[in-house]
Amino acid sequence: MRTVSARERRSHLTAPRVPTVGIDIGGTKVMAGVVDADGRILEQIKTETPDKSKSAKVVEDTITELVLDLSDRHDVHAVGIGAAGWVDADRSRVLFAPHLAWRNEPLRDSLQARLAVPVMVDNDANTAAWAEWRFGAGRGEDHLVMITLGTGIGGAILEDGQVKRGKYGVAGEFGHMQVVPGGHRCPCGNRGCWEQYSSGNALVREARELAAADSPVAYNIIERVKGSVGDITGPLITELAREGDAMCIELFQDIGQWLGVGIANLAAALDPSCFVVGGGVSAADDLLIGPAREAFRRHLTGRGYRPEARIARAQLGPEAGMVGAADLARLVARRFRRANRRRLERYEKYERYAQAIRNGGVTGRSTRPPQEP
């Protein structure tokens, strides 16, 4: 893997400029697209993620169908997959996916056998971070940390053009740093995880609690959902905040402040030059990023005596994971093309040898075909 990682640093410069397919697998949808070497999406299709109670093969069938559909109209050279789960250091197995029936699943080899093109598998936050570094808000940065705010919090680390995956491949699970000992229970089993205070789930939980308590500050949102508290969603809270609803603005300020606290902790540990904030919740833009920047400055270790990392909103939107997966797949596309070239050269040698025999041009020489060096 050291060799692969070293190649990855320069893959964006030397990888073949051929179309590849990127797949982004989430808990609710599977997004697939053909992406060119400049990060442009040539075609994109989506489908619902098969129910997590079904077998892993059902999800693999869905991926295969999408890739074959796109291959009918495009010359696909490799497939990159960004999976919402833990992927091992070899990028071959999904160790655990909370929304899918993948437990130590050999996804790369299974799909490679079915698709007959090379397949690359990585964590979806890693692929999103790569896309933002290559084509989005992180361009030109040597040390970048990506934070994805959705239902929970995901993350990724890039240094010198290389994704830092850790010894076992599961680095970047920032959402499960403990920020409040004994705090809210997290589905991971612990209490007080960062994502319980700064995520889509945290935003919706707080809004629903205020609405369920019939708080006067929640009157507007209660009226909007006609009293059905369960219909309160993140996009609705964002919409109302943009319209000036005081409660929704305050909720974004709260989770933004917690976001800034977590970013300050990461700055103390990793010292990057840039934090890129993506994921669905980041659509709130300055409603969220503004309070995060203020809290970051207040909690940064050694504030006033050190450079401050830039905090930027991701630019590529929900397609970032798909684009990054496709771009990372160019590394395996290069190896595939080299292997094909060697096979072609070997075939041509044998053809020349066979033609020489037919023409009687090897009389008195060894009849053994030429050997590979």
Side-chain angles (χ1 to χ4, degrees):
M1 285 304 294
R2 281 195 294 270
T3 301
V4 172
S5 297
R7 288 176 179 171
E8 182 180 274
R9 292 190 194 96
R10 60 181 185 273
S11 66
H12 63 290
L13 298 175
T14 62
R17 297 182 63 82
V18 294
T20 50
V21 168
I23 308 281
D24 186 19
I25 308 170
T28 58
K29 72 179 185 310
V30 181
M31 183 189 307
V34 180
V35 181
D36 70 11
D38 297 314
R40 290 188 294 261
I41 301 170
L42 305 180
E43 184 180 353
Q44 178 180 340
I45 52 179
K46 299 178 185 178
T47 188
E48 291 184 358
T49 303
D51 187 82
K52 64 182 179 181
S53 66
K54 297 179 180 177
S55 70
K57 184 178 180 299
V58 175
V59 183
E60 292 173 13
D61 290 342
T62 301
I63 296 169
T64 301
E65 289 170 6
L66 293 174
V67 174
L68 293 178
D69 184 8
L70 292 169
S71 298
D72 286 341
R73 297 175 296 282
H74 302 273
D75 183 19
V76 174
H77 290 252
V79 176
I81 295 174
W86 291 356
V87 178
D88 70 358
D90 290 334
R91 284 179 280 171
S92 61
R93 291 177 174 269
V94 180
L95 302 176
F96 172 74
H99 303 293
L100 299 167
W102 283 340
R103 304 293 183 268
N104 200 29
E105 180 67 24
L107 183 62
R108 183 190 66 188
D109 294 343
S110 297
L111 289 174
Q112 208 158 252
R114 299 177 67 173
L115 297 172
V117 294
V119 175
M120 185 282 309
V121 181
D122 209 337
N123 172 266
D124 58 348
N126 288 342
T127 61
W130 180 266
E132 291 291 341
W133 177 70
R134 285 275 284 121
F135 310 111
R139 280 175 295 184
E141 299 289 350
D142 291 330
H143 293 76
L144 177 148
V145 170
M146 177 90 179
I147 299 166
T148 56
L149 296 179
T151 302
I153 296 179
I157 307 163
L158 272 86
E159 291 185 8
D160 298 323
Q162 180 182 350
V163 179
K164 296 294 186 180
R165 298 178 176 85
K167 173 67 176 178
Y168 305 108
V170 296
E173 293 295 333
F174 305 139
H176 298 289
M177 301 186 303
Q178 189 182 58
V179 295
V180 180
H184 290 296
R185 176 72 73 181
C186 181
C188 77
N190 293 328
R191 286 185 178 274
C193 292
W194 187 25
E195 68 176 41
Q196 291 303 304
Y197 298 87
S198 184
S199 66
N201 269 356
L203 181 70
V204 172
R205 181 192 67 228
E206 295 296 315
R208 288 179 177 177
E209 286 181 1
L210 286 167
D214 206 24
S215 170
V217 300
Y219 173 79
N220 195 18
I221 200 168
I222 292 172
E223 186 178 62
R224 183 66 67 91
V225 297
K226 296 180 172 57
S228 180
V229 174
D231 290 339
I232 295 175
T233 63
L236 175 59
I237 298 168
T238 303
E239 179 185 341
L240 290 174
R242 285 177 174 155
E243 293 174 1
D245 182 89
M247 183 200 77
C248 294
I249 291 172
E250 184 176 337
L251 290 178
F252 271 110
Q253 288 174 341
D254 287 345
I255 70 167
Q257 287 171 6
W258 278 113
L259 176 60
V261 169
I263 290 175
N265 289 340
L266 290 173
L270 302 173
D271 191 29
S273 59
C274 176
F275 289 93
V276 176
V277 180
V281 182
S282 70
D285 207 1
D286 281 344
L287 289 168
L288 174 74
I289 304 297
R293 288 182 178 132
E294 293 174 5
F296 170 68
R297 295 188 185 104
R298 287 199 309 271
H299 292 89
L300 180 63
T301 303
R303 51 195 173 276
Y305 297 95
R306 60 179 289 176
E308 289 186 8
R310 181 169 65 97
I311 300 176
R313 183 192 167 194
Q315 294 178 356
L316 301 182
E319 287 80 24
M322 180 186 73
V323 171
D327 199 60
L328 281 167
R330 295 183 207 288
L331 177 61
V332 292
R334 182 201 295 123
R335 294 201 297 269
F336 184 63
R337 284 161 64 90
R338 285 174 177 169
N340 277 348
R341 186 168 62 248
R342 286 194 294 269
R343 281 193 289 269
L344 179 60
E345 289 170 353
R346 187 161 58 245
Y347 173 77
E348 289 174 346
K349 285 180 182 179
Y350 276 86
E351 278 294 298
R352 288 195 297 269
Y353 174 76
Q355 185 63 40
I357 289 179
R358 288 193 292 269
N359 295 337
V362 293
T363 305
R365 299 182 183 177
S366 170
T367 57
R368 294 179 63 190
Q371 300 297 306
E372 281 290 297

